[in-house]
Amino acid sequence: MGGLSMDQAFVQAPEHRPKAALAEAAGIPVIDISPLAAGDEASVDALAAEVGRASREWGFFVVVRHGVPDDTMARALEAQRAFFAMTPEQKAAVRRDEAAPLGYYESEHTKNVRDWKEVFDLVPREPPPPAAVADGELVFENKWPRDLPGFREALEEYAKAMEQLALNLMELIARSLGLRPDRLHGFFKDDQTTFIRLNHYPPCPSPDLALGVGRHKDAGALTVLYQDDVGGLDVRRRSDGEWVRVRPVPDSFIINVGDIVQVWSNDRYESAEHRVSVNSHKERFSMPYFFNPGSGAMIEPLDELVSDDNPPRYDAYNWGQFFSTRKNSNFKKLAVENVQIAHFRKDLKSIS
């Protein structure tokens, strides 16, 4: 992996190190979402109730019969493997930097500890380039590798399929909250900050000390994750706080409820804390699609879900500012804690 070698920067604090053997998570909802395409109202309502239950009890679920074509998936996965098989010099040619956070990177930090992985980030919709870049402003411009014919086309095709799936899932989440089916769609018009990440986790010589991604919750609205058959995704179980391993299910996607949905739902749903464990013998690939609203969106509990008896639990915050701060903190080690939705939580005792 471009000469990556184990050093102190990767070592997790003792309380966050993975156990040698983890229990497999039992009871994770596996949901067939094909009734949505059929359009039968009763079946869709039952499906939405299933999604709501999973979002409340787990904060994530697995979807099958999701409508993403097999060949679209295969082309994207082939492009991913081809990219990470390139030489370190070829990957470095599309390396991200602090002002331009798209492209290749191998020094990401989660909660100020370096992750054992290398990544390639891209946005499905490039915003128009700014006339002038203010100090500290991020420029979201894709860096496409020159030596990989078909790479860009495969991932653009994949991104279109992912957006359709994500919008279908947002419809089910809206219905499950008693909202009109397209209530959340307006947040994802042209100005979205959605991005796709290609992850590669090489074999790690010290899987008992390091993590592929440290414990975290996803800041956006929804994450649609493809993972290969190697396994390594761990989720913190709500019932007892223990870490459990999510078994790969063929031809499926894992859906993570993000912090934005937690805020919109006024804590009816809760984003799941998760991490990625690594192993010493087999590389692993995954591909998350982070479905995020436009940078101008103000995130707060939805009017329909608050009342005198259930007041808003969060102050409004600007998504663009929040997202930029999080992106910067992933790039380097910070002296302070990363921004979290907890920083916008209201103290309801003091206002009741």
Side-chain angles (χ1 to χ4, degrees):
M1 181 172 138
L4 189 73
S5 57
M6 189 67 196
D7 65 34
Q8 197 59 35
F10 294 102
V11 176
Q12 296 283 330
E15 66 271 24
H16 299 308
R17 291 175 194 168
K19 292 178 182 172
L22 275 190
E24 206 170 81
I28 291 174
V30 178
I31 303 176
D32 173 354
I33 62 168
S34 58
L36 191 58
D40 173 61
E41 204 65 26
S43 300
V44 172
D45 284 345
L47 182 57
E50 224 180 323
V51 165
R53 196 159 45 247
S55 302
R56 198 167 51 247
E57 295 173 3
W58 283 91
F60 78 105
F61 49 95
V62 176
V63 295
V64 294
R65 298 185 69 196
H66 40 68
V68 177
D70 290 345
D71 55 347
T72 299
M73 202 67 238
R75 277 191 286 272
L77 299 178
E78 186 182 341
Q80 177 181 29
R81 286 178 178 265
F83 176 80
F84 289 116
M86 292 200 308
T87 66
E89 292 74 24
Q90 288 172 311
K91 289 184 282 193
V94 289
R95 197 173 190 276
R96 66 177 270 195
D97 57 47
E98 198 162 349
L102 299 177
Y104 174 72
Y105 199 53
E106 79 297 6
S107 303
E108 180 135 296
H109 288 73
T110 302
K111 298 201 184 290
N112 279 338
V113 181
R114 191 171 167 188
D115 296 329
W116 187 269
K117 67 177 178 186
E118 53 179 349
V119 308
F120 180 87
D121 286 347
L122 65 123
V123 290
R125 303 184 189 192
E126 279 185 338
V133 180
D135 189 37
E137 186 179 356
L138 302 180
V139 178
F140 289 92
E141 188 176 355
N142 286 322
K143 295 184 177 82
W144 299 108
R146 290 182 183 173
D147 308 323
L148 281 185
F151 179 83
R152 176 175 183 167
E153 293 75 13
L155 290 168
E156 286 179 340
E157 178 190 354
Y158 180 74
K160 286 186 179 128
M162 286 296 99
E163 178 166 342
Q164 188 53 59
L165 175 56
L167 286 170
N168 289 346
L169 291 163
M170 293 312 291
E171 175 182 334
L172 290 170
I173 285 171
R175 286 174 177 269
S176 74
L177 290 165
L179 306 169
R180 70 172 195 273
D182 65 350
R183 172 65 173 90
L184 303 174
H185 285 29
F187 289 99
F188 303 95
K189 294 294 188 198
D190 297 335
D191 176 35
Q192 20 172 294
T193 55
T194 295
F195 70 103
I196 294 176
R197 168 163 288 178
L198 314 183
N199 285 319
H200 176 225
Y201 303 95
C204 176
S206 303
D208 54 329
L209 299 178
L211 287 167
V213 184
R215 73 200 191 284
H216 68 286
K217 296 185 173 192
D218 290 346
L222 207 64
T223 304
V224 181
L225 174 76
Y226 162 81
Q227 66 165 343
D228 66 14
D229 59 0
V230 173
L233 177 65
D234 304 332
V235 67
R236 196 189 288 277
R237 190 164 48 199
R238 293 263 161 83
S239 56
D240 57 8
E242 287 295 313
W243 288 103
V244 288
R245 177 68 42 84
V246 180
R247 180 176 60 84
V249 174
D251 302 318
S252 73
F253 292 100
I254 295 166
I255 311 302
N256 282 355
V257 170
D259 285 344
I260 288 177
V261 166
Q262 179 170 332
V263 172
W264 280 339
S265 74
N266 207 30
D267 283 349
R268 289 195 200 186
Y269 300 160
E270 186 181 338
S271 60
E273 189 173 21
H274 53 286
R275 69 182 189 191
V276 174
S277 292
V278 287
N279 67 75
S280 59
H281 56 279
K282 199 165 186 188
E283 65 183 344
R284 176 177 179 265
F285 294 90
S286 72
M287 200 181 310
Y289 172 88
F290 297 100
F291 196 43
N292 296 334
S295 54
M298 294 301 295
I299 307 302
E300 59 189 322
L302 298 171
D303 288 345
E304 300 95 318
L305 301 179
V306 298
S307 63
D308 290 343
D309 294 332
N310 185 28
R313 300 183 178 195
Y314 297 90
D315 290 317
Y317 62 91
N318 174 264
W319 168 247
Q321 291 172 352
F322 189 100
F323 180 64
S324 293
T325 305
R326 287 289 282 254
K327 270 287 189 192
N328 277 333
S329 72
N330 290 348
F331 188 80
K332 59 187 177 183
K333 187 166 181 173
L334 297 179
V336 294
E337 184 195 8
N338 202 350
V339 64
Q340 311 285 346
I341 57 168
H343 297 148
F344 300 95
R345 189 181 283 281
K346 289 176 179 282
D347 180 2
L348 294 181
K349 289 180 188 159
S350 67
I351 59 175
S352 58

